[in-house]
């Protein structure tokens, strides 16, 4: 049984220090909310505040998790926001002047954007948020809830479905839209139809609901101020989300902003103004003068350290697109080389971790350690195209061995003398590459499939692999690396693959579908026959003078005198292993390791076999 490193259990220790310096235009600021003297917003993964007049921003959170939808309390002393971390989104509260944040809700959470803060009750006692799972587990609709500023159980608001919402100043009614499109809104831009959001009013005293807007496109993000409801709508000629207002007494609706390039993004009202982000800039709209001005924000230079412990299971590449392992184990078994986040890491049995490549803007994977354990071969694209490279396992600059102008390449296979690398590509080719940088040549091309089973002999003189014939039967090849003579050793009547040489170089092991196990149907006619478990593991002496280790009454033979292709397959005998789908033969000393998968049924289940 071939055992692979369980990549999802490995932890990488990464310490990254950087200095963050950015001009105001280089930082995207989202979800602004405004108080009498400050604007709070999200940027660089953290919560910040800045004076209403602009200037240097002050950071309130440490940047762990994803901060979204902050809202000032009516008195401006606190900020409620949604924080997603550890796979869950919940409502948090932090003092507006800074300090530790308090978690107010504890799930359930569904998807990336759940439990989103939407505002406060007018008296500042409760925080409004919407959830997709608290009220209806099997629906994608969101429902409105409130939670006390001091925490506790959340209460559901008496409205069926709700997105963004805003209380009336007296607290007796609420304005809301019924379809939440704040995130994933790109799918709904310029949408016209029955799912377009509209603004509704609900009276808590009379339990009556009425529709405030009636536009075939989007009316969303209501903000109830006095006897007016401000909202976003794409009803103008440019079909951009701009700021509009409806007077509840006169029922007149007016457009207040006229952006034609980009939509306004999630506005919030407070202390006589509406704050919003548009085109990557922060804006403040004065409700009295109805004047609009941009707020200029700068950020302090800061040294930031990423969390020193990162669970790398979600980032490791356990296997490639061909299903082959995308990791390597050192010859002494004490170091694993893995690919994660575009770099190659050496993970020691003592818990240490080293970033071996550490090259920004490039991707390195498919590691392979040389036979002497000193060198690492891998695939890297620092040149813009994938190339084969080597570097010392202990660390050092890489040596790029190839200069391909295109192509996709798989894990290199070292020859036992560490002079050559056999590499399969995505165009069904098999390459031999000199480890000293002396060149590369394609030695095989399969017209039907990629070649993933190449294997060197222990003396590095032979390369075995398989290709598919026009009959779709696989044939084994033996390539003499000294003479470039390529010999097909399989019979046209056999389906052979996965060659491997014994450690002493006297035998060739391979998988072949030679087992004859016909089974008649127990439901249909007796003539309805199926075969299954055809794979068998076979061993063939390379030299005619070498006897099979499974031959009755065998005696130990001397060293093989090379390869005798004539009659080679006639000398093959089946190794006594259980039937199954066999693959990945590896030989270590006198032991043979292989993978045996169960027999697959039409329904996908597997019967028998072991991984």
């Amino acid at each position: 049984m071939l055992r692979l490193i369980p990549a999802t259990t490995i932890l990488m220790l990464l310490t990254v220090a950087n200095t963050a310096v950015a001009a105001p235009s280089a930082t995207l600021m989202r979800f602004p909310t405004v108080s009498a003297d400050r604007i709070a917003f999200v940027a660089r993964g953290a919560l910040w505040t800045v004076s209403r007049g602009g200037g240097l921003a002050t950071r309130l959170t440490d940047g762990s998790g994803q901060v979204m939808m902050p809202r000032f309390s009516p008195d401006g002393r606190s900020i409620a926001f949604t924080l997603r971390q550890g796979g869950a989104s919940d409502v948090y509260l932090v003092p507006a002047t800074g300090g530790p944040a308090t978690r107010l809700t504890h799930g359930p959470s569904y998807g990336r954007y759940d439990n989103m803060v939407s505002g406060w009750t007018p008296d500042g006692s409760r925080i409004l948020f919407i959830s997709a799972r608290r009220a209806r587990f099997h629906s994608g609709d969101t429902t409105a809830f409130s939670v006390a500023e001091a925490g506790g159980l959340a209460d559901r608001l008496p409205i069926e479905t709700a997105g963004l919402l805003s209380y009336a100043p007296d607290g007796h009614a609420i304005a809301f839209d019924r379809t939440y499109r704040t995130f994933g809104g790109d799918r709904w831009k310029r949408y016209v139809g029955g799912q377009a959001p509209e603004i509704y009013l609900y009276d808590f005293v009379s339990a009556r609901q009425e529709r405030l807007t009636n536009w075939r496109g989007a009316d969303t993000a209501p903000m109830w101020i006095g006897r007016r409801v401000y909202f976003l709508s794409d009803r103008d000629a440019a079909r951009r989300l701009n700021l509009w207002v409806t007077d509840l007494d006169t029922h007149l609706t007016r457009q207040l902003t006229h952006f034609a390039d980009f939509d306004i993004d999630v506005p919030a009202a407070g202390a006589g103004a509406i704050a919003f982000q548009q085109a990557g800039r922060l804006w403040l709209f004065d409700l009295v003068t109805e004047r609009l001005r941009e707020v200029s924000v700068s950020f302090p230079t800061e040294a930031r350290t990423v969390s020193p412990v990162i669970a790398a299971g979600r980032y490791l590449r356990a296997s490639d697109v061909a299903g082959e392992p995308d990791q390597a184990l050192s010859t002494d078994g004490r170091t694993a080389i893995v690919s994660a986040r575009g770099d190659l890491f050496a993970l020691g049995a003592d818990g240490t971790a080293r970033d071996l490549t550490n090259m920004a803007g490039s991707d390195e994977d498919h590691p392979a350690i040389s036979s002497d354990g000193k060198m690492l071969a891998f695939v890297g694209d620092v040149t813009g195209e994938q190339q084969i490279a080597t570097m010392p396992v202990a660390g050092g600059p890489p040596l790029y061995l190839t200069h391909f102008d295109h192509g996709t390449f798989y894990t290199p296979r070292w020859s036992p003398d560490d002079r050559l690398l056999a590499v399969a590509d995505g165009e069904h080719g098999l390459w031999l590459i000199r480890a000293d940088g002396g060149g590369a040549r394609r030695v095989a091309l399969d017209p039907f499939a990629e070649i993933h089973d190449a294997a060197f002999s222990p003396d590095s003189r032979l390369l075995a692999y398989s290709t598919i014939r026009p009959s779709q039967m696989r044939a084994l090849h033996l390539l003499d690396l000294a003479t470039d003579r390529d010999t097909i050793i399989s019979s046209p009547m056999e389906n052979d693959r996965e060659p491997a040489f014994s450690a002493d170089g006297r035998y060739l092991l391979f998988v072949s579908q030679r087992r004859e196990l016909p089974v008649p149907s127990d439901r249909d006619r007796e003539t309805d026959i199926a075969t299954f478990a055809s794979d068998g593991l076979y061993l063939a002496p390379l030299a005619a003078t070498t006897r099979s280790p499974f031959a009755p009454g065998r005696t130990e033979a001397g060293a093989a005198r090379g390869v005798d292709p004539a009659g080679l397959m006639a000398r093959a005998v089946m190794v006594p292993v259980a039937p199954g789908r066999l693959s990945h033969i590896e030989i270590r000393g006198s032991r043979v390791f292989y993978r045996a998968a169960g027999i697959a049924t039409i329904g996908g289940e597997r019967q028998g076999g072991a991984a």
Side-chain angles (χ1 to χ4, degrees), residues 1-13:
M1 179 171 64
L2 184 62
R3 295 185 180 273
L4 303 178
I5 304 171
T8 56
T9 65
I10 300 176
L11 292 181
M12 290 188 301
L13 304 178

Side-chain angles (χ1 to χ4, degrees), residues 30-35 40-42 47 67-82 92-94 96 116-120 127-129 164-166 180 182 221-223 265-270 275-276:
R30 293 196 70 189
F31 314 122
T33 177
V34 60
S35 69
F41 59 92
V42 175
L47 179 63
V67 179
M68 294 169 284
M69 299 295 289
R71 289 293 185 268
F72 269 112
S73 60
D75 61 10
R77 296 181 178 180
S78 302
I79 303 173
F81 62 95
T82 298
Y92 285 74
L93 190 67
V94 66
M116 289 290 139
V117 170
S118 189
W120 292 70
I127 298 160
L128 308 177
F129 68 96
L164 297 175
L165 44 85
S166 174
Y180 188 56
T182 300
M223 295 162 284
D265 178 37
V266 195
F276 59 85

Side-chain angles (χ1 to χ4, degrees), residues 95 173 252 256 301 331 438 590:
L252 294 177
L256 301 177
T301 300
T331 52
S590 60

Side-chain angles (χ1 to χ4, degrees), residues 266-516:
V266 195
I274 295 176
F276 59 85
Q277 179 267 135
Q278 189 274 343
R281 296 177 291 176
L282 200 61
W283 299 88
L284 205 61
F285 180 84
D286 189 287
L287 295 175
V288 176
T289 64
E290 295 192 351
R291 291 182 179 178
L292 182 66
R293 65 179 176 86
E294 183 179 352
V295 180
S296 178
V297 182
S298 59
F299 293 84
T301 300
E302 59 176 3
R304 182 166 63 92
T305 301
V306 177
S307 176
V309 179
I310 297 177
R314 60 185 293 189
Y315 303 116
L316 290 182
R317 299 173 181 172
S319 60
D320 60 23
V321 294
E324 300 295 318
D326 200 352
Q327 51 195 270
L329 190 64
S330 63
T331 52
D332 61 6
R334 297 188 59 81
T335 303
I337 309 296
V338 298
S339 175
R341 302 175 71 119
D343 281 350
L344 292 177
F345 295 88
L347 309 181
D350 57 357
T352 60
R354 290 180 293 119
D355 190 339
L356 297 178
T357 51
N358 194 23
M359 290 185 286
S362 65
D363 181 80
E364 296 85 40
D365 65 353
H366 290 96
I369 297 178
S370 61
S371 301
D372 62 9
K374 297 179 180 180
M375 296 298 293
L376 176 68
F378 61 93
V379 179
D381 64 358
V382 70
T383 65
E385 295 291 340
Q386 287 194 348
Q387 310 293 344
I388 309 302
T390 61
M391 66 179 299
V393 173
L399 171 64
Y400 280 82
L401 309 178
T402 61
H403 305 281
F404 296 116
D405 58 7
H406 73 283
T408 301
F409 299 90
Y410 294 97
T411 303
R413 297 172 184 255
W414 288 89
S415 62
D417 62 7
D418 294 332
R419 295 182 178 180
L420 293 173
L421 294 162
V423 182
D425 68 21
E427 296 180 342
H428 305 178
L430 180 64
W431 295 78
L432 278 180
I433 301 169
R434 288 180 53 175
D436 61 1
R441 61 190 178 99
R442 193 176 69 183
V443 295
L445 181 66
D446 189 324
F448 298 102
E450 296 171 351
I451 303 172
H452 289 288
D453 60 357
F456 286 98
S457 61
D459 60 6
S460 303
R461 297 178 61 183
L462 298 173
L463 182 68
Y465 63 94
S466 71
T467 60
I468 298 179
R469 302 176 188 265
S471 64
Q472 299 303 296
M473 307 281 275
R474 281 193 172 273
L476 290 180
H477 296 245
L478 282 181
L479 174 63
D480 189 312
L481 300 181
T483 64
D484 282 341
R485 182 178 180 181
D486 193 321
T487 303
I488 297 177
I489 59 175
S490 293
S491 164
M493 303 303 294
E494 303 295 355
N495 195 3
D496 305 328
R497 68 182 192 278
E498 304 271 352
F501 292 90
S502 62
D504 59 9
R506 296 193 296 170
Y507 304 100
L508 181 70
L509 287 89
F510 58 96
V511 176
S512 182
Q513 290 188 323
R514 303 184 184 192
R515 300 173 67 105
E516 298 295 340

